[in-house]
Amino acid sequence: MALVNEHYLKLPGSYLFSDIAKKVNMFKVTHPGTELIRLGIGDVTRPLPEACIRAMHKAVDDMAQAETFRGYGPEQGYDFLIEAILKHDFAPRGVSLSPSEVFINDGAKSDTGNIGEILRWDNSMGVTDPVYPVYVDSNIMCGRAGQRDGNGMWSNVTYLPCTAENDFIPRIPDKRIDIIYLCYPNNPTGTTLTKTELKKWVDYALANDTLIFFDAAYEAYIREDHVPHSIYEIKGAKRCAIEFRSFSKTAGFTGVRCGYTIVPKELTAFTLNGDERVPLNPLWNRRQCTKFNGTSYISQRGAEAIYSPEGKQEVKTVIDYYMENARLMREGLQAVGFKVYGGINAPYLWLQAPAGTSSWRFFEQLLYEAHVIGTPGVGFGPSGEGYLRLTAFGKREDCMEAMRRIKNKI
Ligand SMILES: *Cc1c(COP(=O)(O)O)cnc(C)c1O
């Protein structure tokens, strides 16, 4: 008799986007012909950079000839891509890493979800609230999150509220937590941590033997100098942090699939009796070699092209486009009196609902009165109540039209 992993039965349904779809469909039935503007999508919309397209076409041609054909590649990724990453993403920021500290993957979601496998199930963990759902759900699946209480919070998860009251800066815990997930620039709030703030986390982690999982998927959107692109810009971080990067939001790779994870050689965790420090890099390498057979050669050639001079220019053009959307939206919303956060170093705006209005009420107000679709903040965690997420990934005309409608109707 096969027994299921009962932790899966504890998973709350992922209703957020289906609840939104239901409400939108209801609106469409009662308002046929009304044009809606979707600013809720968390996916890019601009096509791939030309340089990536050319590189991927060429990679397909390589596959067509016996002399240049590639079968299984290294599980950790091809050297050509790892070298480009080290040279362009880290060396210019004063971070020196060795090739064996880089693991190419098929996107950051896989590794942020899988990384917990190399750690005991009974570590304690903490997340910022609101949060990208993968971090908590992947821990529920292995039993690490504990039990769910009446408010939908998990017994073994410490929630670090990020709201306007604390300027979206999570407070350093007053107790030891074994594993902490940080995502900066943040999805969903679009806010960041300065070097000074991030250093407090690294210092906390070093003092408490905490492991930080740092998700930097939106690194390419950073505009301000005091915002770190990598946690390894902070001294000591190689001893306490794993960093996740992705080409998805950087270069439109959400459908191509490629990203990477940094597991420094110095990074260790303890055995149960606490007398031995075990390096995590060989553990993750072993895990990947057993369960992962590498990212496609074609995707990796496409990713390499992002670092060519043309690739860099084309990536910048697309990110500038989204960030100009973000600026127009932020300024448009502020001009009509809304409190809006994020959107300066990230493609997300975190809009505060008028006092006393819940996330869902505000969502419906925007839908019914302005015909604009956002994402209710409470869907990302209890501290998201009273907020709504708008993304800057849409078309310029749509973003501008949405601002006009909000100005006239709300
Ligand atoms: C989009 C996103 C990712 C990237 O996911 P991929 O699997 O690389 O497409 C990672 N983390 C966060 C917070 C994201 O929003």
Side-chain angles (χ1 to χ4, degrees):
M1 185 167 59
L3 304 179
V4 297
N5 174 351
E6 291 190 25
H7 299 307
Y8 274 65
L9 308 181
K10 295 192 257 172
L11 281 166
S14 177
Y15 298 124
L16 177 62
F17 289 95
S18 63
D19 285 352
I20 292 172
K22 271 184 217 149
K23 288 187 191 286
V24 169
N25 284 336
M26 175 80 88
F27 174 88
K28 281 185 172 167
V29 169
T30 50
H31 301 72
T34 306
E35 275 210 39
L36 294 171
I37 299 179
R38 293 177 186 272
L39 298 181
I41 38 165
D43 195 357
V44 295
T45 55
R46 307 295 300 159
L48 289 178
E50 267 298 317
C52 300
I53 295 293
R54 275 197 306 274
M56 290 167 78
H57 276 299
K58 179 168 180 306
V60 172
D61 289 339
D62 289 345
M63 293 300 215
Q65 306 293 332
E67 296 73 36
T68 48
F69 169 78
R70 309 273 184 139
Y72 288 126
E75 290 90 344
Q76 303 84 352
Y78 283 105
D79 285 340
F80 61 76
L81 179 54
I82 293 174
E83 295 296 343
I85 287 167
L86 296 182
K87 183 167 166 210
H88 296 276
D89 283 346
F90 293 98
R93 304 198 175 276
V95 178
S96 127
L97 293 165
S98 76
S100 56
E101 294 175 304
V102 183
F103 295 85
I104 307 296
N105 60 29
D106 60 356
K109 193 191 220 181
S110 317
D111 281 10
T112 50
N114 290 328
I115 192 77
E117 274 187 31
I118 61 170
L119 300 159
R120 271 179 67 98
W121 69 273
D122 52 358
N123 282 288
S124 60
M125 56 166 291
V127 292
T128 55
D129 170 27
V131 69
Y132 180 59
V134 174
Y135 313 148
V136 176
D137 287 1
S138 57
N139 282 285
I140 296 170
M141 289 174 175
C142 68
R144 196 179 287 125
Q147 301 299 325
R148 193 173 134 100
D149 72 14
N151 299 319
M153 307 199 21
W154 294 81
S155 57
N156 198 30
V157 178
T158 300
Y159 294 82
L160 307 162
C162 296
T163 61
E165 283 68 45
N166 61 9
D167 281 329
F168 300 92
I169 298 170
R171 227 178 83 190
I172 302 289
D174 47 18
K175 61 176 180 190
R176 270 176 106 118
I177 301 176
D178 301 319
I179 304 167
I180 298 225
Y181 290 78
L182 296 177
C183 172
Y184 288 101
N186 189 257
N187 177 11
T189 67
T191 59
T192 52
L193 289 187
T194 61
K195 268 187 195 150
T196 314
E197 289 301 331
L198 188 57
K199 181 175 185 310
K200 292 180 190 167
W201 282 99
V202 170
D203 291 345
Y204 165 84
L206 292 171
N208 291 280
D209 281 307
T210 298
L211 181 58
I212 297 177
F213 291 152
F214 191 76
D215 185 343
Y218 295 93
E219 165 277 332
Y221 291 80
I222 295 172
R223 296 296 161 109
E224 294 180 309
D225 288 342
H226 57 278
V227 179
H229 290 244
S230 165
I231 195 168
Y232 306 119
E233 290 176 48
I234 315 287
K235 204 161 164 263
K238 282 191 195 171
R239 281 182 286 128
C240 66
I242 290 177
E243 181 164 300
F244 304 92
R245 293 274 189 111
S246 169
F247 299 110
S248 285
K249 314 307 171 11
T250 303
F253 270 48
T254 51
V256 176
R257 312 305 303 147
C258 193
Y260 64 89
T261 297
I262 305 290
V263 187
K265 292 274 179 56
E266 289 111 294
L267 187 66
T268 57
F270 287 92
T271 52
L272 181 60
N273 56 17
D275 58 5
E276 198 191 338
R277 279 185 179 273
V278 180
L280 293 180
N281 179 290
L283 257 58
W284 184 244
N285 188 50
R286 188 71 171 84
R287 190 270 173 206
Q288 288 299 80
C289 291
T290 300
K291 296 198 180 183
F292 184 61
N293 247 340
T295 304
S296 102
Y297 171 68
I298 299 164
S299 299
Q300 293 190 64
R301 280 296 187 198
E304 180 194 21
I306 293 167
Y307 298 103
S308 65
E310 314 83 72
K312 279 186 181 177
Q313 188 50 49
E314 288 158 358
V315 162
K316 183 176 177 303
T317 303
V318 175
I319 291 182
D320 284 350
Y321 178 89
Y322 294 137
M323 291 309 285
E324 177 63 6
N325 285 348
R327 186 187 67 81
L328 288 166
M329 290 163 66
R330 189 165 43 84
E331 291 178 1
L333 292 163
Q334 279 168 344
V336 291
F338 278 110
K339 283 224 165 101
V340 49
Y341 304 92
I344 294 172
N345 297 294
Y348 295 118
L349 299 177
W350 195 238
L351 183 57
Q352 194 161 26
T357 307
S358 71
S359 287
W360 278 109
R361 180 75 200 86
F362 191 40
F363 166 86
E364 294 197 332
Q365 210 180 334
L366 282 182
L367 174 62
Y368 277 82
E369 287 160 38
H371 308 153
V372 169
I373 307 172
T375 310
V378 70
F380 298 99
S383 295
E385 181 55 283
Y387 295 88
L388 183 121
R389 189 188 74 173
L390 295 179
T391 79
F393 288 133
K395 284 200 213 104
R396 175 72 41 80
E397 313 85 86
D398 288 350
C399 296
M400 291 171 70
E401 172 60 16
M403 292 310 108
R404 267 192 294 276
R405 292 185 187 177
I406 291 173
K407 187 174 164 191
N408 293 334
K409 301 284 181 167
I410 305 276

PDB file of all heavy atoms in Angstrom, residues 17 20-21 33 36 88 96 101 224 254 279 285 301-302 308 355 368 395:
ATOM      1  N   PHE A  17      -5.004  33.341  -7.771  1.00  0.00           N
ATOM      2  CA  PHE A  17      -5.217  33.719  -9.169  1.00  0.00           C
ATOM      3  C   PHE A  17      -6.520  33.150  -9.732  1.00  0.00           C
ATOM      4  O   PHE A  17      -7.136  33.766 -10.602  1.00  0.00           O
ATOM      5  CB  PHE A  17      -3.976  33.412 -10.008  1.00  0.00           C
ATOM      6  CG  PHE A  17      -2.854  34.363  -9.654  1.00  0.00           C
ATOM      7  CD1 PHE A  17      -1.878  34.015  -8.727  1.00  0.00           C
ATOM      8  CD2 PHE A  17      -2.819  35.654 -10.185  1.00  0.00           C
ATOM      9  CE1 PHE A  17      -0.877  34.919  -8.346  1.00  0.00           C
ATOM     10  CE2 PHE A  17      -1.838  36.561  -9.820  1.00  0.00           C
ATOM     11  CZ  PHE A  17      -0.858  36.193  -8.897  1.00  0.00           C
ATOM     12  N   ILE A  20      -9.193  35.531  -8.504  1.00  0.00           N
ATOM     13  CA  ILE A  20      -9.171  36.748  -9.326  1.00  0.00           C
ATOM     14  C   ILE A  20      -9.887  36.461 -10.644  1.00  0.00           C
ATOM     15  O   ILE A  20     -10.749  37.237 -11.077  1.00  0.00           O
ATOM     16  CB  ILE A  20      -7.714  37.222  -9.579  1.00  0.00           C
ATOM     17  CG1 ILE A  20      -7.102  37.715  -8.262  1.00  0.00           C
ATOM     18  CG2 ILE A  20      -7.667  38.311 -10.649  1.00  0.00           C
ATOM     19  CD1 ILE A  20      -5.623  38.029  -8.340  1.00  0.00           C
ATOM     20  N   ALA A  21      -9.550  35.328 -11.259  1.00  0.00           N
ATOM     21  CA  ALA A  21     -10.163  34.973 -12.553  1.00  0.00           C
ATOM     22  C   ALA A  21     -11.678  34.881 -12.421  1.00  0.00           C
ATOM     23  O   ALA A  21     -12.414  35.344 -13.299  1.00  0.00           O
ATOM     24  CB  ALA A  21      -9.573  33.664 -13.062  1.00  0.00           C
ATOM     25  N   GLY A  33     -18.347  43.554 -23.375  1.00  0.00           N
ATOM     26  CA  GLY A  33     -17.769  44.588 -24.236  1.00  0.00           C
ATOM     27  C   GLY A  33     -16.875  45.585 -23.519  1.00  0.00           C
ATOM     28  O   GLY A  33     -16.204  46.385 -24.159  1.00  0.00           O
ATOM     29  N   LEU A  36     -10.877  45.569 -20.308  1.00  0.00           N
ATOM     30  CA  LEU A  36     -10.155  45.553 -19.034  1.00  0.00           C
ATOM     31  C   LEU A  36      -8.657  45.695 -19.286  1.00  0.00           C
ATOM     32  O   LEU A  36      -8.142  45.209 -20.286  1.00  0.00           O
ATOM     33  CB  LEU A  36     -10.427  44.231 -18.315  1.00  0.00           C
ATOM     34  CG  LEU A  36     -11.870  44.010 -17.849  1.00  0.00           C
ATOM     35  CD1 LEU A  36     -12.049  42.583 -17.358  1.00  0.00           C
ATOM     36  CD2 LEU A  36     -12.214  45.007 -16.740  1.00  0.00           C
ATOM     37  N   HIS A  88      30.749  39.247 -15.455  1.00  0.00           N
ATOM     38  CA  HIS A  88      29.859  40.406 -15.641  1.00  0.00           C
ATOM     39  C   HIS A  88      28.937  40.690 -14.454  1.00  0.00           C
ATOM     40  O   HIS A  88      28.596  41.836 -14.212  1.00  0.00           O
ATOM     41  CB  HIS A  88      29.014  40.215 -16.896  1.00  0.00           C
ATOM     42  CG  HIS A  88      29.834  40.164 -18.146  1.00  0.00           C
ATOM     43  ND1 HIS A  88      30.246  41.288 -18.815  1.00  0.00           N
ATOM     44  CD2 HIS A  88      30.354  39.108 -18.828  1.00  0.00           C
ATOM     45  CE1 HIS A  88      30.971  40.932 -19.864  1.00  0.00           C
ATOM     46  NE2 HIS A  88      31.045  39.619 -19.892  1.00  0.00           N
ATOM     47  N   SER A  96      34.386  38.049  -5.731  1.00  0.00           N
ATOM     48  CA  SER A  96      35.124  37.031  -6.456  1.00  0.00           C
ATOM     49  C   SER A  96      34.618  35.657  -6.046  1.00  0.00           C
ATOM     50  O   SER A  96      34.571  35.308  -4.868  1.00  0.00           O
ATOM     51  CB  SER A  96      36.620  37.255  -6.204  1.00  0.00           C
ATOM     52  OG  SER A  96      37.223  36.088  -5.757  1.00  0.00           O
ATOM     53  N   GLU A 101      31.306  27.414  -7.611  1.00  0.00           N
ATOM     54  CA  GLU A 101      30.299  27.952  -6.681  1.00  0.00           C
ATOM     55  C   GLU A 101      29.017  28.361  -7.418  1.00  0.00           C
ATOM     56  O   GLU A 101      28.052  28.801  -6.802  1.00  0.00           O
ATOM     57  CB  GLU A 101      30.890  29.157  -5.919  1.00  0.00           C
ATOM     58  CG  GLU A 101      32.025  28.727  -4.995  1.00  0.00           C
ATOM     59  CD  GLU A 101      32.745  29.889  -4.307  1.00  0.00           C
ATOM     60  OE1 GLU A 101      33.245  30.791  -5.017  1.00  0.00           O
ATOM     61  OE2 GLU A 101      32.798  29.890  -3.075  1.00  0.00           O
ATOM     62  N   GLU A 224      19.264  52.491  -7.911  1.00  0.00           N
ATOM     63  CA  GLU A 224      19.928  53.337  -6.923  1.00  0.00           C
ATOM     64  C   GLU A 224      21.211  52.671  -6.421  1.00  0.00           C
ATOM     65  O   GLU A 224      21.234  51.457  -6.173  1.00  0.00           O
ATOM     66  CB  GLU A 224      18.970  53.603  -5.755  1.00  0.00           C
ATOM     67  CG  GLU A 224      17.760  54.427  -6.176  1.00  0.00           C
ATOM     68  CD  GLU A 224      16.808  54.684  -5.022  1.00  0.00           C
ATOM     69  OE1 GLU A 224      16.427  53.719  -4.336  1.00  0.00           O
ATOM     70  OE2 GLU A 224      16.458  55.852  -4.800  1.00  0.00           O
ATOM     71  N   THR A 254      11.279  33.952 -19.103  1.00  0.00           N
ATOM     72  CA  THR A 254      10.274  33.180 -18.352  1.00  0.00           C
ATOM     73  C   THR A 254       9.840  31.933 -19.122  1.00  0.00           C
ATOM     74  O   THR A 254       9.532  30.908 -18.515  1.00  0.00           O
ATOM     75  CB  THR A 254       9.041  34.046 -17.996  1.00  0.00           C
ATOM     76  OG1 THR A 254       8.571  34.697 -19.178  1.00  0.00           O
ATOM     77  CG2 THR A 254       9.386  35.111 -16.963  1.00  0.00           C
ATOM     78  N   PRO A 279      30.273  21.557   4.867  1.00  0.00           N
ATOM     79  CA  PRO A 279      30.135  22.488   3.739  1.00  0.00           C
ATOM     80  C   PRO A 279      28.920  22.137   2.881  1.00  0.00           C
ATOM     81  O   PRO A 279      28.668  20.956   2.605  1.00  0.00           O
ATOM     82  CB  PRO A 279      31.424  22.314   2.936  1.00  0.00           C
ATOM     83  CG  PRO A 279      32.284  21.382   3.715  1.00  0.00           C
ATOM     84  CD  PRO A 279      31.468  20.722   4.768  1.00  0.00           C
ATOM     85  N   ASN A 285      25.870  20.116  -4.851  1.00  0.00           N
ATOM     86  CA  ASN A 285      26.411  19.519  -6.070  1.00  0.00           C
ATOM     87  C   ASN A 285      25.940  18.073  -6.212  1.00  0.00           C
ATOM     88  O   ASN A 285      25.504  17.640  -7.275  1.00  0.00           O
ATOM     89  CB  ASN A 285      27.940  19.582  -6.036  1.00  0.00           C
ATOM     90  CG  ASN A 285      28.539  19.146  -7.357  1.00  0.00           C
ATOM     91  OD1 ASN A 285      28.136  19.616  -8.412  1.00  0.00           O
ATOM     92  ND2 ASN A 285      29.481  18.219  -7.294  1.00  0.00           N
ATOM     93  N   ARG A 301      23.163  28.999 -24.184  1.00  0.00           N
ATOM     94  CA  ARG A 301      23.769  29.883 -25.199  1.00  0.00           C
ATOM     95  C   ARG A 301      22.982  31.194 -25.274  1.00  0.00           C
ATOM     96  O   ARG A 301      23.570  32.268 -25.429  1.00  0.00           O
ATOM     97  CB  ARG A 301      23.780  29.198 -26.574  1.00  0.00           C
ATOM     98  CG  ARG A 301      24.902  28.187 -26.760  1.00  0.00           C
ATOM     99  CD  ARG A 301      26.276  28.857 -26.715  1.00  0.00           C
ATOM    100  NE  ARG A 301      27.340  27.919 -27.064  1.00  0.00           N
ATOM    101  CZ  ARG A 301      28.623  28.123 -26.781  1.00  0.00           C
ATOM    102  NH1 ARG A 301      29.018  29.220 -26.147  1.00  0.00           N
ATOM    103  NH2 ARG A 301      29.524  27.234 -27.116  1.00  0.00           N
ATOM    104  N   GLY A 302      21.672  31.107 -25.147  1.00  0.00           N
ATOM    105  CA  GLY A 302      20.844  32.317 -25.148  1.00  0.00           C
ATOM    106  C   GLY A 302      21.209  33.200 -23.960  1.00  0.00           C
ATOM    107  O   GLY A 302      21.353  34.421 -24.093  1.00  0.00           O
ATOM    108  N   SER A 308      26.851  39.841 -23.923  1.00  0.00           N
ATOM    109  CA  SER A 308      27.579  40.459 -25.039  1.00  0.00           C
ATOM    110  C   SER A 308      27.230  41.947 -25.030  1.00  0.00           C
ATOM    111  O   SER A 308      26.215  42.352 -24.451  1.00  0.00           O
ATOM    112  CB  SER A 308      27.147  39.819 -26.359  1.00  0.00           C
ATOM    113  OG  SER A 308      25.782  40.116 -26.613  1.00  0.00           O
ATOM    114  N   ALA A 355      -7.883  54.203   3.525  1.00  0.00           N
ATOM    115  CA  ALA A 355      -8.011  53.727   4.912  1.00  0.00           C
ATOM    116  C   ALA A 355      -9.314  52.946   5.100  1.00  0.00           C
ATOM    117  O   ALA A 355     -10.381  53.387   4.666  1.00  0.00           O
ATOM    118  CB  ALA A 355      -7.970  54.906   5.862  1.00  0.00           C
ATOM    119  N   TYR A 368     -14.396  47.325 -11.031  1.00  0.00           N
ATOM    120  CA  TYR A 368     -15.735  47.793 -11.439  1.00  0.00           C
ATOM    121  C   TYR A 368     -15.756  49.252 -11.859  1.00  0.00           C
ATOM    122  O   TYR A 368     -16.546  49.651 -12.701  1.00  0.00           O
ATOM    123  CB  TYR A 368     -16.749  47.524 -10.323  1.00  0.00           C
ATOM    124  CG  TYR A 368     -17.249  46.097 -10.402  1.00  0.00           C
ATOM    125  CD1 TYR A 368     -16.512  45.054  -9.851  1.00  0.00           C
ATOM    126  CD2 TYR A 368     -18.434  45.788 -11.079  1.00  0.00           C
ATOM    127  CE1 TYR A 368     -16.941  43.742  -9.961  1.00  0.00           C
ATOM    128  CE2 TYR A 368     -18.868  44.472 -11.193  1.00  0.00           C
ATOM    129  CZ  TYR A 368     -18.125  43.447 -10.637  1.00  0.00           C
ATOM    130  OH  TYR A 368     -18.533  42.162 -10.767  1.00  0.00           O
ATOM    131  N   LYS A 395       1.930  46.909 -21.509  1.00  0.00           N
ATOM    132  CA  LYS A 395       2.247  47.830 -22.610  1.00  0.00           C
ATOM    133  C   LYS A 395       2.149  49.254 -22.087  1.00  0.00           C
ATOM    134  O   LYS A 395       1.293  49.569 -21.269  1.00  0.00           O
ATOM    135  CB  LYS A 395       1.216  47.668 -23.736  1.00  0.00           C
ATOM    136  CG  LYS A 395       1.402  46.454 -24.580  1.00  0.00           C
ATOM    137  CD  LYS A 395       0.663  46.671 -25.913  1.00  0.00           C
ATOM    138  CE  LYS A 395       0.101  45.393 -26.461  1.00  0.00           C
ATOM    139  NZ  LYS A 395      -1.315  45.185 -26.328  1.00  0.00           N
TER     140      LYS A 395
END
